Amino acid sequence: DVKVTQSSRYLVKRTGEKVFLECVQDMDHENMFWYRQDPGLGLRLIYFSYDVKMKEKGDIPEGYSVSREKKERFSLILESASTNQTSMYLCASRGSGGDSYNEQFFGPGTRLTVL
Amino acid sequence: KNEVEQSPQNLTAQEGEFITINCSYSVGISALHWLQQHPGGGIVSLFMLSSGKKKHGRLIATINIQEKHSSLHITASHPRDSAVYICAVRSGAQKLVFGQGTRLTINP
């Protein structure tokens, strides 16, 4: 029973290319998140969205943008990829309802290499 | 100093050993999560707790709110338990703050 899917497991791009990472969840969750994970740094929040067309910057938004046109889909965009954006990218989603204990579900991750 | 600190960063043990991974945090929280990440990247949630203790199979998670500390224990460890274990805390309504993870290797 797949809950959060990401468009690619592995991606190789060249410096300067525009890169789209897609995330889809089937749980009707309001909240969706994009993280990057690097050795020694753990997971860091890039952007999150708490509703359609709504977005908020996380801790490291520079060089990234996002799009949420439909509730189930949250896209991460690298306008001009750079080598320091080589990383594992993880998408997650979470429900709302005033319950701060809601579980967060993660996608399988996309390992992006920028050459 | 990170808001969430895990120890140890790496742990290697023999099959059958009792394992303890620790997590300390410096912010007020509403919930603490223990996550497991196997090679290949996917993350699954093991526990979500705000007080006391939870048990699932061979895994036990405890939290002490006053001391701002949580532990994850694995009894009768097995090579399939080898993974990265991540502690994360929710201090606001939306965001999780993650520890750097503990890489556990269980040798047969």
Side-chain angles (χ1 to χ4, degrees), chain A:
Chain A
D1 61 339
V2 175
K3 293 183 169 67
V4 182
T5 58
Q6 294 183 228
S7 51
S8 305
R9 292 301 304 274
Y10 300 93
L11 207 52
V12 180
K13 295 292 182 180
R14 297 212 174 270
T15 301
E17 280 193 75
K18 190 169 186 176
V19 181
F20 292 87
L21 302 182
E22 304 283 339
C23 175
V24 177
Q25 51 93 5
D26 63 1
M27 295 167 284
D28 200 36
H29 283 164
E30 290 80 7
N31 304 292
M32 296 186 74
F33 307 82
W34 274 107
Y35 299 93
R36 64 177 284 177
Q37 184 181 31
D38 300 288
L41 297 176
L43 279 89
R44 293 179 292 167
L45 181 65
I46 304 171
Y47 266 98
F48 69 98
S49 169
Y50 51 89
D51 203 351
V52 175
K53 296 190 186 296
M54 305 304 287
K55 61 185 179 185
E56 284 203 25
K57 293 180 180 179
D59 300 316
I60 51 163
E62 295 78 18
Y64 303 94
S65 63
V66 290
S67 173
R68 187 137 181 233
E69 296 297 317
K70 294 184 177 181
K71 190 176 186 180
E72 68 270 19
R73 189 179 299 268
F74 191 35
S75 302
L76 180 69
I77 303 153
L78 288 65
E79 294 289 342
S80 178
S82 63
T83 55
N84 63 11
Q85 292 178 310
T86 292
S87 187
M88 169 70 88
Y89 290 87
L90 288 147
C91 174
S93 74
R94 185 173 66 84
S96 288
D99 180 356
S100 64
Y101 305 145
N102 283 347
E103 184 178 353
Q104 192 151 311
F105 295 88
F106 288 84
T110 295
R111 189 167 293 281
L112 173 66
T113 302
V114 183
L115 302 176

Side-chain angles (χ1 to χ4, degrees), chain B residues 37-56:
Chain B
Q37 184 176 31
H38 279 284
I43 293 176
V44 295
S45 177
L46 298 175
F47 294 104
M48 190 167 44
L49 64 165
S50 59
S51 65
K53 177 180 176 178
K54 286 191 176 180
K55 184 176 189 292
H56 182 71

Side-chain angles (χ1 to χ4, degrees), chain B residues 4-76:
Chain B
V4 181
E5 295 276 356
Q6 285 185 238
S7 63
Q9 290 190 8
N10 293 282
L11 179 58
T12 299
Q14 291 299 122
E15 183 173 356
E17 286 190 41
F18 181 81
I19 302 299
T20 296
I21 299 170
N22 296 299
C23 175
S24 296
Y25 52 92
S26 57
V27 295
I29 69 167
S30 56
L32 182 142
H33 298 249
W34 280 103
L35 310 168
Q36 181 191 57
Q37 184 176 31
H38 279 284
I43 293 176
V44 295
S45 177
L46 298 175
F47 294 104
M48 190 167 44
L49 64 165
S50 59
S51 65
K53 177 180 176 178
K54 286 191 176 180
K55 184 176 189 292
H56 182 71
R58 295 180 294 106
L59 273 61
I60 304 165
T62 63
I63 188 169
N64 185 316
I65 296 293
Q66 287 73 29
E67 295 186 3
K68 294 187 176 177
H69 181 269
S70 175
S71 293
L72 176 69
H73 305 286
I74 305 175
T75 62

